[in-house]
Amino acid sequence: MNQFSRFELLTGAESLSKIQNSRVAVFGIGGVGGYAVEALVRCGVGTLDIIDNDTVSLTNLNRQLIALHSTIGKSKVEVMKERILDINPDCTVNAYELFFGEDTEDKFDFSQYDYVVDAIDTVTAKIRLIERCVECGTPIISSMGTGNKLDPSRLEVCDLAKTQNDGLARVMRKELSKRGIKHLTVVYSNETAVKVDMEKISDLLSEEDLQKRTVPASTAFVPPSAGLLLASKVVCDLGGVENE
């Protein structure tokens, strides 16, 4: 008996072994990415690279797994690394406290990864991450918009070309098409986003937030559900497990 025995009942020893010998990178350890990492480590992924330049803040408390009053101000990747090793001390964790972009992309050898999870919320960085994976032939799954959504049952895994009613997905389709990338596996919601009136909620926002055109509202159930869907697809693909 081991800590993955209940999971092995579903996958079989061979599939679990494949998962345990895999290396997955998760870019973005927020409301979506944090839950993806949690599920990946609990399913036995042997090596995890986690990438995020942010620290835990007060407004993360309503939805992010690693956000506690005791972790406010701490590096997200360091808090996540500690949590991963507490769940599975045998997991190899590579933590990168940085923002993925043109200045930092050379720090990563994408050919080493068995899978990449894109949980970044910046379009430019998402596009470049996807490009790098396509160049290396590395499987990638990308999260679309989860802000201003209320119904986790509207989330699904599909090809980017089949998405609808998602502003981020629309932009990504256009930009990736320009780069010759026609297909991408994504997690997205076809729910119509709730419109937030910035003027009416100005007393709820920080000075930094007030400078932005929009601040996405979020819940404790839509981003986490997206993260779990991302992890489910990755784990089943790595282990060759049918999850239809």
Side-chain angles (χ1 to χ4, degrees):
M1 181 178 294
N2 61 71
Q3 71 180 83
F4 303 112
S5 295
R6 295 296 182 93
F7 186 51
E8 187 177 349
L9 290 173
L10 287 171
T11 65
E14 184 178 350
S15 290
L16 178 59
S17 178
K18 291 178 182 178
I19 294 165
Q20 290 178 315
N21 287 302
S22 65
R23 182 175 181 179
V24 178
V26 180
F27 287 79
I29 313 298
V32 175
Y35 279 87
V37 171
E38 177 87 357
L40 291 170
V41 67
R42 290 188 184 277
C43 289
V45 171
T47 301
L48 283 164
D49 287 32
I50 53 176
I51 302 94
D52 199 306
N53 73 327
D54 206 1
T55 56
V56 179
S57 68
L58 181 67
T59 57
N60 297 154
L61 285 166
N62 81 311
R63 68 195 183 283
Q64 296 192 15
L65 183 70
I66 55 174
L68 307 167
H69 281 280
S70 61
T71 62
I72 289 176
K74 295 183 179 180
S75 161
K76 287 184 178 179
V77 292
E78 290 303 321
V79 175
M80 191 79 245
K81 179 177 181 178
E82 182 178 350
R83 183 177 179 88
I84 291 168
L85 294 175
D86 202 12
I87 295 169
N88 180 14
D90 294 326
C91 185
T92 299
V93 186
N94 302 302
Y96 297 85
E97 190 174 353
L98 55 80
F99 178 81
F100 178 80
E102 291 184 0
D103 296 337
T104 59
E105 63 178 65
D106 289 339
K107 293 182 180 292
F108 304 95
D109 179 0
F110 287 89
S111 66
Q112 295 184 13
Y113 299 130
D114 296 295
Y115 226 114
V116 169
V117 174
D118 161 31
I120 304 174
D121 56 11
T122 306
V123 172
T124 302
K126 291 178 85 72
I127 291 171
R128 189 55 190 147
L129 179 60
I130 293 162
E131 285 183 303
R132 288 298 302 271
C133 288
V134 170
E135 289 166 6
C136 292
T138 302
I140 180 170
I141 185 168
S142 184
S143 173
M144 295 294 102
T146 60
N148 299 336
K149 305 281 178 100
L150 288 167
D151 186 355
S153 71
R154 303 286 288 275
L155 290 161
E156 62 176 290
V157 178
C158 71
D159 189 276
L160 178 63
K162 297 181 179 180
T163 58
Q164 55 185 327
N165 207 28
D166 184 304
L168 176 56
R170 188 180 310 115
V171 172
M172 294 297 291
R173 280 199 307 272
K174 179 180 179 180
E175 293 302 320
L176 290 177
S177 180
K178 292 178 183 177
R179 294 161 173 81
I181 300 172
K182 303 296 184 181
H183 299 284
L184 173 70
T185 302
V186 302
V187 169
Y188 99 107
S189 168
N190 62 14
E191 179 186 3
T192 301
V194 176
K195 292 183 178 180
V196 177
D197 188 330
M198 295 285 283
E199 292 185 3
K200 290 184 178 180
I201 63 166
S202 60
D203 59 327
L204 299 176
L205 304 176
S206 66
E207 287 299 321
E208 181 181 356
D209 286 340
L210 287 171
Q211 303 305 314
K212 302 175 183 177
R213 290 180 60 191
T214 60
V215 177
S218 199
T219 69
F221 33 86
V222 176
S225 297
L228 294 176
L229 276 175
L230 289 168
S232 171
K233 176 63 173 170
V234 171
V235 167
C236 289
D237 283 353
L238 290 174
V241 180
E242 293 291 336
N243 66 338
E244 297 298 331

